[in-house]
Amino acid sequence: MWCLCEKCEVLSMGALKKENYKIVRAHYKCIRCGECILNCPTSVWTRDSKKYHILAIMGSTGKKNPRLAEDFLLWSCEESIIKIIINTYKYVIEYIDLNALGGKEHMDYIVDRTGFMEFKKWDLDGVELDDIAKVSENIYWSGIRY
Ligand code: SF4
């Protein structure tokens, strides 16, 4: 039988290791793929019966300046995520620079210009989060900025 650590190593990120006969997860490595839960031989690791979502934002592709998305919101209900997406469109309509990049300014550039706090204010407007939800205080993106 596979150990969960091996499953994570082979199928995912190698985020699990054994310490004193317990399995410990390195949170910075875990991508929350759920393979460990699906493969737990004793079903010790399970999913909550309620669905929660994680919202990672501002990832972008590109040859010059790809940027990894960062966690913005942890453990949110679906209703809140939908409201945040609608709010994001409102924010973009307010702030997009139609003269930049041929009218195709990326979200991360817009947030760079307005600042994360302004983005956060717009995105969370009227959103009631569950008690369990966690919002990032601030996000500092690494990489080249234009
Ligand atoms: S959810 Fe995290 S710990 Fe579990 S298999 Fe995926 S990467 Fe590994």
Side-chain angles (χ1 to χ4, degrees), residues 8 12-13 15-16 25 30-36:
C8 181
S12 194
M13 300 300 292
L16 301 177
R25 181 172 51 169
C30 175
I31 58 169
R32 305 171 188 113
C33 63
E35 286 294 341
C36 52

